Amino acid sequence: MTSPDLPRHDTYPGLDGLRFLGALAVLVTHVAFQTGAYAGTLAGTALSRLDVGVAIFFVLSGFLLSRPWLLAAEHATPRPRTGRYWWHRAVRILPAYLVTVVVALLVLEENAGASLRTWVANLGLVALYTEDRLPPGLTQMWSLATEVAFYAALPLVMLAALGRRPQRVPAGRLLVVLTGLCALNLAWNAGGSRLVATSTALLQWLPGYLTWFSAGIALAAVTVVLRRAEPPGWARTVADVGSAPWTCWGLAAAVFVVASTPLAGPYDFTQIASDASVVTKNLLYVVVGVLVVLPGVFAPAGSTFLRLTTRPLLRHLGRTSYALFCCHLVVLDLVQQWLDLPVFGGRTVLVLALTLAGSLLVSEVLYRLVEVPATRLRSLRPSDLVRSRRGGSSTSSPAQTSETTTAS
């Protein structure tokens, strides 16, 4: 029997607060960089390592998006329809993203006179692959482009890992596929110096982060096999670790400190990281990401951790975290322009306070006026939209569940 103290729910409200934590970490590290707070001190290096928030996002994406496929395999029910899945992803990410791109290219002085190529590449979310650099206000969108590549690849990954007609999750086959993805990740990053010699953007492509997504998929598999009458011991061990949230977060903090040393490479972009440090940083970050996310999945019901992370305000901030991720660099650039501060011009605390306040306000507007209305499209199929333009009626069914609202 499954232990009665293990959570049996299908929703994980504690993850909403973790989304906000990841978005906040990304915002802080960008403010620190643009105000020149990165330095050779441990504190400055730690600020530079807050990009670990991206690892949290990617682990969450792997977990939440793979879980419907794993549940379908475990119970021999129809797998998610690929077209509907991609439609949900498009409706989830594109509205706020497109608004941000238009505002960034029209409002920021540095983007004045942006070419048609720049507009098309950024609106199409392919600038990571076609441009030498992303425009000011949009440089964080490399991670969103990488997330989208994962969205596109996930159905094929699940087919390879689960087969066409599984009767339950084939743990051995899944392990082989995830191990292969991690091996590709390590090989990609081990050639980091050669990739950088071609284009620095190559390190930001999906192969460089497959371990992070794979960790989320593995975590989702644990939650699924724990439903069995006699769950395997390895799954129970993972759940036991996650049921000790403060221990997990203490370990995550310790690993983060290690990642803030030269082992994980230079703290800024004035030096090129060695292949070994690229691999080390990637692995340390996935450990931090998993240890941060684990309690959000396995913390016991009624625990102090869940009471704190499921407070209404924190959950709401989690729901608006994607909008916060999208808009914060535009707000940061406008704050520095308003204060007449050049890049690396200091006043980090003031800039952080103004950027956070402005970003929270803008993200609330984006969430209410753009993201929430867009969710009404989730129950439609693209063909329904075509029929509606021709005067036909929609016969679409309600949207499938298990949707993630992960920011990137």
Side-chain angles (χ1 to χ4, degrees), residues 54 64 71 104 112 147 162-163 174 180 217 225 292 297 313 320 342 361 394:
V54 178
L64 291 165
L71 284 169
E147 280 238 25
L162 303 175
L174 177 63
I217 296 172
V225 301
V292 168
V297 177
L313 176 60
T320 64
L361 177 60
S394 172

Side-chain angles (χ1 to χ4, degrees), residues 102-136:
V102 170
V103 172
L105 294 180
L106 288 179
V107 172
L108 298 185
E109 294 178 351
E110 303 97 314
N111 292 327
S115 67
L116 177 62
R117 175 190 173 97
T118 297
W119 275 91
V120 172
N122 284 276
L123 289 173
L125 241 179
V126 296
L128 178 64
Y129 312 109
T130 64
E131 302 289 287
D132 293 332
R133 52 177 294 185
L134 298 178

Side-chain angles (χ1 to χ4, degrees), residues 23 36 41 53 68 90 111 133 147 186-188 214 220 225 248 290 339 344 363:
T41 63
N111 292 327
R133 52 177 294 185
E147 280 238 25
L186 294 176
W188 187 271
S214 296
V225 301
C248 286
V290 169
L339 294 175
F344 311 135
S363 64

Side-chain angles (χ1 to χ4, degrees), residues 260-275:
S260 299
T261 69
L263 280 174
Y267 63 88
D268 60 13
F269 305 112
T270 61
Q271 307 172 54
I272 297 177
S274 67
D275 294 350

Side-chain angles (χ1 to χ4, degrees), residues 191-206:
S193 60
R194 292 182 292 279
L195 293 172
V196 169
T198 303
S199 171
T200 54
L202 286 172
L203 280 177
Q204 298 175 325
W205 288 17
L206 177 60

Side-chain angles (χ1 to χ4, degrees), residues 355-367:
T355 300
L356 179 58
S359 297
L360 288 172
L361 177 60
V362 174
S363 64
E364 187 70 24
V365 173
L366 267 178
Y367 175 72

Side-chain angles (χ1 to χ4, degrees), residues 72-332:
E74 183 69 11
H75 301 290
T77 56
R79 71 186 68 197
R81 288 175 290 173
T82 301
R84 175 58 62 89
Y85 155 75
W86 281 336
W87 173 248
H88 285 182
R89 291 291 84 216
V91 170
R92 175 69 188 98
I93 68 169
L94 287 180
Y97 170 76
L98 293 175
V99 169
T100 303
V101 170
V102 170
V103 172
L105 294 180
L106 288 179
V107 172
L108 298 185
E109 294 178 351
E110 303 97 314
N111 292 327
S115 67
L116 177 62
R117 175 190 173 97
T118 297
W119 275 91
V120 172
N122 284 276
L123 289 173
L125 241 179
V126 296
L128 178 64
Y129 312 109
T130 64
E131 302 289 287
D132 293 332
R133 52 177 294 185
L134 298 178
L138 299 173
T139 54
Q140 81 280 28
M141 296 302 184
W142 73 265
S143 62
L144 185 58
T146 299
E147 280 238 25
V148 169
F150 171 70
Y151 299 162
L154 182 61
L156 292 176
V157 172
M158 291 291 96
L159 179 61
L162 303 175
R164 289 190 176 274
R165 292 181 177 84
Q167 298 302 308
R168 58 166 38 190
V169 172
R173 180 170 177 163
L174 177 63
L175 178 62
V176 169
V177 170
L178 295 184
T179 300
L181 294 178
C182 292
L184 173 58
N185 185 176
L186 294 176
W188 187 271
N189 288 332
S193 60
R194 292 182 292 279
L195 293 172
V196 169
T198 303
S199 171
T200 54
L202 286 172
L203 280 177
Q204 298 175 325
W205 288 17
L206 177 60
Y209 301 94
L210 286 171
T211 298
W212 300 3
F213 291 112
S214 296
I217 296 172
L219 182 56
V222 171
T223 67
V224 170
V225 301
L226 279 172
R227 291 165 161 251
R228 296 175 182 172
E230 296 183 3
W234 55 267
R236 292 182 60 83
T237 299
V238 174
D240 288 341
V241 173
S243 67
W246 305 119
T247 300
C248 286
W249 278 27
L251 291 172
V255 176
F256 179 78
V257 171
V258 175
S260 299
T261 69
L263 280 174
Y267 63 88
D268 60 13
F269 305 112
T270 61
Q271 307 172 54
I272 297 177
S274 67
D275 294 350
S277 64
V278 172
V279 171
T280 300
K281 182 178 180 180
N282 187 273
L283 293 177
L284 289 172
Y285 275 24
V286 72
V287 173
V288 173
V290 169
L291 287 171
V292 168
V293 171
L294 266 177
V297 177
F298 294 113
S303 64
T304 302
F305 179 87
L306 275 187
R307 287 200 302 271
L308 291 174
T309 56
T310 58
R311 290 185 179 277
L313 176 60
L314 192 56
R315 291 196 67 188
H316 179 72
L317 290 173
R319 288 190 285 269
T320 64
S321 61
Y322 174 61
L324 180 72
F325 163 81
C326 285
C327 75
H328 75 274
L329 278 182
V330 175
V331 175
L332 172 56

